[in-house]
Amino acid sequence: MVLINENFLQLKDSYLFSTIAQKRAAYQAAHPEANVISLGIGDVTQPLCPAVVQAMTDAVAEMSRAETFRGYGPEQGYDFLRQAILEHDYRARGVELDEDEIFISDGSKSDTGNIGDILGAANIVAIPDPVYPVYVDTNVMAGREIKILPTSAAGGFCAAPPDFHADMVYLCSPNNPTGTVLDREQLAAWVNYAKREGALLLFDAAYKAFITDPALPQSIYEIPGAKECAIEFCSFSKTAGFTGTRCAFAVVPKALMGQTAAGEKVSLNTLWNRRHSTKFNGTPYIVQRGAAAIYTAEGQKQIRQTLAYYRENALLIKNALTELGFTCFGGEHSPYVWLQTPNGLTSWEFFDLLLEKLNVVGTPGSGFGASGEGYFRLTAFGSHEQTTEAMERFKKYFGKK
Ligand code: MLT
């Protein structure tokens, strides 16, 4: 019989968001009349903006004619999208990168997991807690030693460099689930740590579009020296509604080196390029055309409106909960509001209470790590109507009787 990768047996039975979806479906099946509002998984509700839809429609028309039809594209992505990213996401913020340092993909979830393919199983991995569960799960699958960096309300849920060695460090800023954003000084401390320890930083910036304070860095490459120690992951999912159409990118600078066990230096860009071209056949042309359209003047205007829409929801949630006496984090520079559960309830007890009494679905904080126990995440990605209704239900249930 075939041997399995036994590391998989170390994983929890089910991925966090699958468990939540199952619980919600079971409740809905038992209570078909219930109007359940989901503020759980961070899936967007606002449609692709008109500029994106037009670009995709034009691309479909191109694909329908023999003269303009395209088959396999470059695995790394089309020039038009990579150039737009270089210009708008980086040059505009004072960061110079080359086109062959950008790799277009089908999502940051895949990228943050797949990056492990090019990194040794003997690396020690440091992962802040609470954080997006994909980092832990994919490193458990790879059999790496994981060292958790617990964070707490007292430190604003910010992970600082530890006093022990790690070879790989995941950072997510703005953080999913707490909404915490690492400022320039905090990121610089991580870059210094990486340089000192010879560590690789895996910087997940999927939520950078929610940052409104111009003083806060949106890219780790705004910190001097980061090109020699960091890979960055960015996504169009939350920025522009691509959760269903799938488009993201990873930046793997050419200055970034790893080494063999014998100490021979190897370019991580070369390895990622090799992995990407072998295991991935490119994001669809139609989708990349849509993504490029968000960088046009019209596209920028339209996605800003959508981002403002979600920000309004975040504020609505944060204000309503604060008024009710909940302790809240995030909601600013982030689509997530992170709240402390009332009356010492565990995260899952609070999940059940919300589902059963309010018919509102959120995400239990403990699903993001042990330090998330006693906390809960609500997303701003619902519609205004659903968000308002959910907060009305909170007021009715948790308001002074
Ligand atoms: C979340 O809810 O944390 C995200 O939607 C998950 C993801 O982006 O994969």
Side-chain angles (χ1 to χ4, degrees):
M1 222 179 273
V2 73
L3 293 173
I4 61 153
N5 175 349
E6 291 188 27
N7 295 324
F8 277 64
L9 304 180
Q10 307 302 317
L11 293 166
K12 290 197 198 98
D13 285 352
S14 159
Y15 180 57
L16 172 64
F17 294 105
S18 316
T19 311
I20 293 170
Q22 280 160 15
K23 280 194 167 240
R24 181 202 164 148
Y27 183 83
Q28 191 76 75
H31 305 86
E33 72 300 339
N35 170 18
V36 178
I37 297 176
S38 177
L39 302 180
I41 188 162
D43 197 1
V44 296
T45 52
Q46 297 310 295
L48 296 168
C49 69
V52 168
V53 174
Q54 189 57 54
M56 286 185 172
T57 308
D58 293 346
V60 170
E62 278 184 66
M63 295 296 256
S64 72
R65 291 190 299 269
E67 320 82 79
T68 47
F69 171 78
R70 293 175 190 241
Y72 295 127
E75 293 96 352
Q76 302 80 358
Y78 283 99
D79 295 354
F80 61 80
L81 179 54
R82 296 165 96 195
Q83 282 299 335
I85 290 168
L86 284 186
E87 186 58 41
H88 295 270
D89 283 32
Y90 294 104
R91 196 159 297 138
R93 300 192 69 83
V95 175
E96 284 301 326
L97 289 167
D98 292 336
E99 192 179 308
D100 56 3
E101 295 178 306
I102 311 271
F103 295 84
I104 309 298
S105 74
D106 66 347
S108 290
K109 178 178 181 176
S110 338
D111 282 345
T112 50
N114 290 334
I115 197 70
D117 275 11
I118 65 165
L119 302 167
N123 285 324
I124 295 170
V125 190
I127 305 182
D129 176 355
V131 87
Y132 188 39
V134 168
Y135 315 150
V136 168
D137 282 5
T138 54
N139 281 287
V140 169
M141 289 173 187
R144 290 195 188 92
E145 182 186 346
I146 297 173
K147 291 194 174 178
I148 293 296
L149 306 175
T151 65
S152 67
F157 292 102
C158 280
D163 54 11
F164 55 79
H165 171 78
D167 303 295
M168 297 159 56
V169 181
Y170 285 82
L171 295 173
C172 182
S173 176
N175 184 263
N176 176 12
T178 63
T180 306
V181 190
L182 297 174
D183 64 22
R184 218 164 272 280
E185 250 175 45
Q186 289 165 322
L187 270 188
W190 275 111
V191 168
N192 285 340
Y193 172 85
K195 296 230 145 161
R196 192 176 68 238
E197 298 293 328
L200 173 66
L201 303 178
L202 298 156
F203 187 72
D204 185 349
Y207 299 94
K208 69 178 182 178
F210 287 86
I211 295 177
T212 48
D213 181 349
L216 289 171
Q218 293 196 16
S219 163
I220 194 157
Y221 305 119
E222 291 175 47
I223 310 301
K227 278 194 209 169
E228 287 93 57
C229 63
I231 291 178
E232 179 161 291
F233 304 96
C234 301
S235 169
F236 295 102
S237 285
K238 320 292 158 108
T239 309
F242 279 67
T243 48
T245 24
R246 314 302 305 147
C247 197
F249 61 93
V251 182
V252 188
K254 285 180 284 194
L256 210 49
M257 304 302 279
Q259 64 176 359
T260 64
E264 184 196 345
K265 294 218 176 342
V266 179
S267 152
L268 295 187
N269 177 282
T270 305
L271 292 190
W272 184 243
N273 189 39
R274 186 71 177 81
R275 190 251 170 230
H276 207 65
S277 0
T278 304
K279 289 197 179 180
F280 187 62
N281 244 340
T283 304
Y285 174 70
I286 296 163
V287 172
Q288 291 192 56
R289 276 290 178 203
I294 74 160
Y295 293 109
T296 61
E298 224 15 57
Q300 283 290 299
K301 203 168 106 201
Q302 292 166 0
I303 63 162
R304 275 195 203 119
Q305 279 166 4
T306 310
L307 288 165
Y309 179 96
Y310 293 134
R311 276 192 202 105
E312 224 175 279
N313 281 349
L315 206 66
L316 197 146
I317 296 172
K318 192 163 185 172
N319 288 343
L321 294 180
T322 308
E323 244 170 68
L324 288 169
F326 285 88
T327 304
C328 296
F329 299 83
E332 215 189 328
H333 312 300
S334 163
Y336 296 128
V337 177
W338 180 246
L339 57 122
Q340 192 171 12
T341 60
N343 309 320
L345 291 179
T346 67
S347 302
W348 279 107
E349 283 168 352
F350 191 62
F351 174 92
D352 290 336
L353 181 145
L354 287 192
L355 179 58
E356 283 158 27
K357 305 286 190 215
L358 281 71
N359 292 166
V360 170
V361 174
T363 309
S366 55
F368 299 96
S371 303
E373 183 57 278
Y375 286 86
F376 201 78
R377 192 194 78 175
L378 292 174
T379 98
F381 288 126
S383 67
H384 276 336
E385 296 69 26
Q386 286 173 323
T387 309
T388 308
E389 170 63 22
M391 288 307 109
E392 285 308 318
R393 295 183 194 175
F394 263 83
K395 282 178 199 161
K396 236 187 190 161
Y397 190 84
F398 294 104
K400 289 210 171 61
K401 303 266 172 10

